[in-house]
Amino acid sequence: MPSTPFVIVGNWKSNKTIDEAIHWFQDFSVLWTKQPIVTEQIKIILCPAFIHLTQLTSFIDSHHLPIALGAQDVSPYESGTYTGGISAEMLKRLVSYSLVGHSERRQHFHEQEAELIKKVERLRKAGIEPIYCVQKPDQEIPQGCNLVAYEPVWAISRGDPYATKPESAENANQIASQLKQKYGTNLKIIYGGSTNPDNVASYVKQEFLDGILPGGASLKADTFYHLIRNASGN
Ligand code: PGA
């Protein structure tokens, strides 16, 4: 682990009704209250759907949970006549982070580089930290990104992070090292693709990896809790 804290970014993707989201938080809160985890070495970020952000913010505040919220995406446009768009301006009181260019956005919503650069700019202007996702080590990383997720498409689970083979921690570390050589050591690199409570410790150990991006392993409160516990080593 190059520096603390080790960042764990849970991505719920297009999952959970509001009732399911609240249940998740109730379950997580029970586990956390029973056995809190020392969070000096761990930073927990969770990216639910936009529609859950307001309610989950209240839940986190009232239960004093050490979870920061992130968005899964942002509009490349400012607020205005862009029906359906959720602008960075709208998000700024709700989130501190936002994913940009996740492989599923690139694949299913045909997002292209130029649009992603605009998203990064909008987020920066609103004071939200972009978590820029790349699927290959040679992809360009736009200016203004301090936190990058390397998530090779072949390693991404379809919801069950035990059913797919992850990129090995050693290979992910190698790629993080290459990216830091190219873009500077201030860049933080996290790895996404079939991380789970059983393999998380191997990623924590790596010299150049600053965190992970679990999708499937964030969907159940107890799995996510155990993943955090195993990452923290306590
Ligand atoms: P997964 O998702 O943990 O379910 O493989 C990771 C990702 O989408 O980057």
Coordinates of all heavy atoms in Angstrom, one line a residue, residues 9 11 13 99 102-104 133 135 149-153 155-161 164-166 191-196 212-219 227, ligand 1:
V9 N -14.1 1.9 -3.2 CA -15.2 2.6 -3.9 C -16.2 1.6 -4.3 O -16.1 0.9 -5.3 CB -14.7 3.4 -5.1 CG1 -15.9 4.2 -5.7 CG2 -13.5 4.3 -4.8
N11 N -19.5 0.3 -6.0 CA -20.3 0.8 -7.1 C -21.6 -0.1 -7.2 O -21.4 -1.3 -7.6 CB -19.5 0.8 -8.4 CG -20.3 1.2 -9.6 OD1 -21.4 1.7 -9.5 ND2 -19.7 0.9 -10.8
K13 N -23.9 0.2 -9.3 CA -24.4 0.2 -10.7 C -25.9 0.4 -10.7 O -26.4 1.1 -9.9 CB -23.9 -1.1 -11.3 CG -22.4 -1.4 -11.2 CD -21.9 -2.5 -11.9 CE -20.4 -2.6 -11.8 NZ -19.8 -3.7 -12.5
L99 N -17.8 8.8 -10.5 CA -17.1 7.9 -11.5 C -17.3 8.6 -12.8 O -18.3 9.3 -13.1 CB -17.8 6.6 -11.6 CG -17.8 5.7 -10.3 CD1 -18.6 4.4 -10.6 CD2 -16.3 5.3 -10.0
H102 N -16.9 4.8 -16.7 CA -16.9 3.4 -16.4 C -17.1 2.6 -17.7 O -17.8 3.0 -18.6 CB -18.0 3.1 -15.4 CG -18.0 1.7 -14.8 ND1 -18.4 0.6 -15.5 CD2 -17.5 1.2 -13.7 CE1 -18.2 -0.5 -14.8 NE2 -17.6 -0.1 -13.7
S103 N -16.5 1.4 -17.7 CA -16.6 0.6 -19.0 C -18.0 0.3 -19.4 O -18.3 0.3 -20.6 CB -15.9 -0.7 -18.8 OG -16.4 -1.4 -17.7
E104 N -18.9 0.2 -18.4 CA -20.3 0.0 -18.8 C -21.0 1.2 -19.4 O -21.9 1.1 -20.2 CB -21.1 -0.5 -17.5 CG -20.7 -1.9 -17.2 CD -20.8 -2.3 -15.7 OE1 -21.5 -1.6 -15.0 OE2 -20.2 -3.3 -15.3
C133 N -12.2 6.2 -15.0 CA -12.0 4.8 -15.3 C -11.4 4.5 -16.6 O -11.8 5.1 -17.6 CB -13.4 4.1 -15.2 SG -14.3 4.3 -13.7
Q135 N -9.8 1.2 -19.0 CA -9.9 -0.3 -19.1 C -8.6 -0.9 -19.6 O -8.4 -2.1 -19.5 CB -11.1 -0.6 -20.1 CG -12.5 -0.2 -19.6 CD -12.7 1.3 -19.5 OE1 -12.4 2.0 -20.5 NE2 -13.3 1.8 -18.5
A149 N -9.4 4.7 -11.9 CA -9.6 3.3 -11.6 C -9.2 2.5 -12.9 O -9.7 2.8 -14.0 CB -11.1 3.1 -11.4
Y150 N -8.4 1.5 -12.7 CA -8.1 0.6 -13.8 C -9.0 -0.6 -13.7 O -9.0 -1.3 -12.6 CB -6.6 0.2 -13.7 CG -6.3 -1.0 -14.6 CD1 -6.5 -1.0 -15.9 CD2 -5.8 -2.2 -14.0 CE1 -6.2 -2.1 -16.7 CE2 -5.6 -3.3 -14.8 CZ -5.8 -3.3 -16.1 OH -5.5 -4.4 -16.9
E151 N -9.9 -0.8 -14.6 CA -10.9 -1.9 -14.6 C -11.0 -2.6 -15.9 O -11.8 -2.2 -16.8 CB -12.3 -1.3 -14.1 CG -12.7 0.0 -14.7 CD -14.0 0.0 -15.4 OE1 -14.9 -0.8 -15.0 OE2 -14.2 0.8 -16.3
P152 N -10.1 -3.6 -16.1 CA -10.2 -4.3 -17.3 C -11.5 -5.1 -17.5 O -12.0 -5.7 -16.6 CB -9.0 -5.4 -17.2 CG -8.8 -5.5 -15.7 CD -9.2 -4.2 -15.1
V153 N -12.1 -4.9 -18.7 CA -13.5 -5.4 -18.9 C -13.6 -6.9 -18.6 O -14.6 -7.3 -18.0 CB -13.9 -5.1 -20.4 CG1 -15.2 -5.6 -20.7 CG2 -13.9 -3.5 -20.6
A155 N -12.3 -8.7 -16.5 CA -12.3 -9.1 -15.1 C -13.5 -8.7 -14.3 O -13.7 -9.0 -13.2 CB -11.0 -8.5 -14.5
I156 N -14.4 -7.9 -15.0 CA -15.5 -7.4 -14.3 C -16.6 -8.4 -14.1 O -17.0 -9.1 -15.1 CB -16.1 -6.1 -15.0 CG1 -15.0 -5.0 -15.0 CG2 -17.4 -5.6 -14.4 CD1 -15.4 -3.8 -15.7
S157 N -17.2 -8.6 -12.9 CA -18.2 -9.6 -12.7 C -19.5 -9.2 -13.2 O -19.7 -8.0 -13.5 CB -18.3 -9.9 -11.2 OG -19.1 -9.0 -10.6
R158 N -20.4 -10.1 -13.3 CA -21.8 -9.8 -13.7 C -22.6 -9.7 -12.4 O -23.8 -9.9 -12.4 CB -22.3 -10.8 -14.6 CG -21.4 -11.0 -15.8 CD -22.1 -11.5 -17.0 NE -22.9 -10.5 -17.6 CZ -23.7 -10.7 -18.6 NH1 -23.7 -11.8 -19.2 NH2 -24.5 -9.7 -19.1
G159 N -22.0 -9.4 -11.3 CA -22.7 -9.3 -10.0 C -22.2 -10.2 -8.9 O -22.3 -9.9 -7.8
D160 N -21.6 -11.3 -9.4 CA -21.0 -12.2 -8.4 C -19.5 -12.2 -8.5 O -18.9 -12.8 -9.5 CB -21.6 -13.7 -8.6 CG -20.9 -14.7 -7.7 OD1 -20.1 -14.3 -6.9 OD2 -21.2 -15.9 -7.8
P161 N -18.8 -11.5 -7.6 CA -17.3 -11.4 -7.8 C -16.5 -12.7 -7.5 O -15.3 -12.6 -7.5 CB -17.0 -10.3 -6.8 CG -18.1 -10.4 -5.7 CD -19.3 -10.9 -6.4
T164 N -16.0 -14.8 -11.4 CA -15.2 -14.3 -12.4 C -13.7 -14.2 -11.9 O -13.5 -14.1 -10.7 CB -15.5 -12.8 -12.8 OG1 -16.9 -12.6 -12.5 CG2 -15.3 -12.6 -14.3
K165 N -12.8 -14.3 -12.9 CA -11.4 -14.3 -12.4 C -10.9 -12.8 -12.4 O -11.0 -12.1 -13.5 CB -10.5 -15.1 -13.4 CG -9.3 -15.7 -12.9 CD -8.7 -16.6 -13.9 CE -7.2 -16.9 -13.8 NZ -6.4 -16.2 -12.9
P166 N -10.4 -12.3 -11.3 CA -9.9 -10.9 -11.3 C -8.5 -10.9 -12.0 O -7.8 -11.9 -12.1 CB -9.8 -10.6 -9.8 CG -9.5 -11.9 -9.2 CD -10.2 -13.0 -10.0
Y191 N -8.0 -0.4 -8.4 CA -8.2 -1.5 -9.3 C -9.7 -2.0 -9.1 O -10.2 -2.2 -8.0 CB -7.3 -2.7 -9.0 CG -7.8 -4.0 -9.7 CD1 -7.8 -4.1 -11.0 CD2 -8.4 -5.0 -8.9 CE1 -8.3 -5.2 -11.6 CE2 -8.9 -6.1 -9.5 CZ -8.9 -6.2 -10.9 OH -9.4 -7.3 -11.5
G192 N -10.4 -2.3 -10.3 CA -11.7 -2.8 -10.2 C -11.8 -4.0 -11.1 O -11.3 -4.1 -12.2
G193 N -12.5 -5.1 -10.6 CA -12.7 -6.3 -11.4 C -12.7 -7.5 -10.4 O -11.6 -8.0 -10.1
S194 N -13.9 -8.0 -10.0 CA -14.0 -9.2 -9.2 C -13.2 -9.2 -7.9 O -12.7 -10.2 -7.4 CB -13.6 -10.4 -10.0 OG -14.5 -10.5 -11.1
T195 N -13.1 -8.0 -7.3 CA -12.5 -8.0 -5.9 C -13.6 -8.4 -4.9 O -14.8 -8.2 -5.2 CB -12.0 -6.6 -5.6 OG1 -13.1 -5.6 -5.7 CG2 -10.8 -6.2 -6.4
N196 N -13.2 -9.1 -3.9 CA -14.1 -9.6 -2.9 C -13.5 -9.8 -1.6 O -12.2 -9.5 -1.5 CB -14.7 -11.0 -3.4 CG -13.6 -12.0 -3.6 OD1 -12.8 -12.2 -2.7 ND2 -13.6 -12.7 -4.7
I212 N -9.4 -0.1 -4.3 CA -10.2 -1.0 -5.2 C -11.6 -0.4 -5.5 O -12.0 0.5 -4.8 CB -10.3 -2.4 -4.6 CG1 -10.9 -2.3 -3.2 CG2 -9.0 -3.1 -4.6 CD1 -11.4 -3.7 -2.7
L213 N -12.2 -1.0 -6.5 CA -13.5 -0.5 -7.0 C -14.4 -1.8 -7.0 O -14.6 -2.3 -8.1 CB -13.4 0.1 -8.4 CG -14.6 0.6 -9.1 CD1 -15.4 1.7 -8.4 CD2 -14.2 1.0 -10.5
P214 N -15.0 -2.2 -5.9 CA -15.8 -3.4 -6.0 C -17.3 -3.1 -6.4 O -17.9 -2.1 -5.9 CB -15.8 -3.9 -4.5 CG -15.5 -2.7 -3.7 CD -14.7 -1.7 -4.5
G215 N -17.8 -3.8 -7.4 CA -19.1 -3.7 -7.8 C -20.0 -4.7 -7.1 O -20.6 -4.4 -6.1
G216 N -19.9 -6.0 -7.6 CA -20.7 -7.1 -7.0 C -20.6 -7.2 -5.5 O -21.5 -7.4 -4.8
A217 N -19.3 -7.0 -5.0 CA -19.1 -7.2 -3.6 C -19.6 -6.0 -2.7 O -19.5 -6.0 -1.5 CB -17.6 -7.4 -3.3
S218 N -20.2 -5.0 -3.4 CA -20.7 -3.9 -2.6 C -22.3 -4.0 -2.5 O -22.9 -3.3 -1.8 CB -20.4 -2.5 -3.3 OG -21.1 -2.4 -4.5
L219 N -22.8 -5.0 -3.2 CA -24.3 -5.1 -3.2 C -24.9 -5.6 -1.9 O -26.1 -5.4 -1.7 CB -24.7 -6.0 -4.4 CG -24.5 -5.3 -5.8 CD1 -24.8 -6.3 -6.9 CD2 -25.3 -4.0 -5.9
L227 N -15.5 -7.1 3.4 CA -14.4 -6.7 2.5 C -13.6 -5.5 3.1 O -12.4 -5.5 3.1 CB -15.0 -6.2 1.2 CG -14.1 -5.7 0.1 CD1 -14.5 -6.2 -1.3 CD2 -14.1 -4.2 0.0
Ligands
PGA1 P1 -17.1 -6.1 -10.0 O1 -17.2 -4.7 -10.8 O2 -16.4 -5.9 -8.7 O3 -18.5 -6.6 -9.9 O4 -16.3 -7.0 -10.9 C1 -16.0 -3.9 -10.9 C2 -16.1 -2.8 -11.9 O5 -17.2 -2.6 -12.5 O6 -15.2 -2.1 -12.2

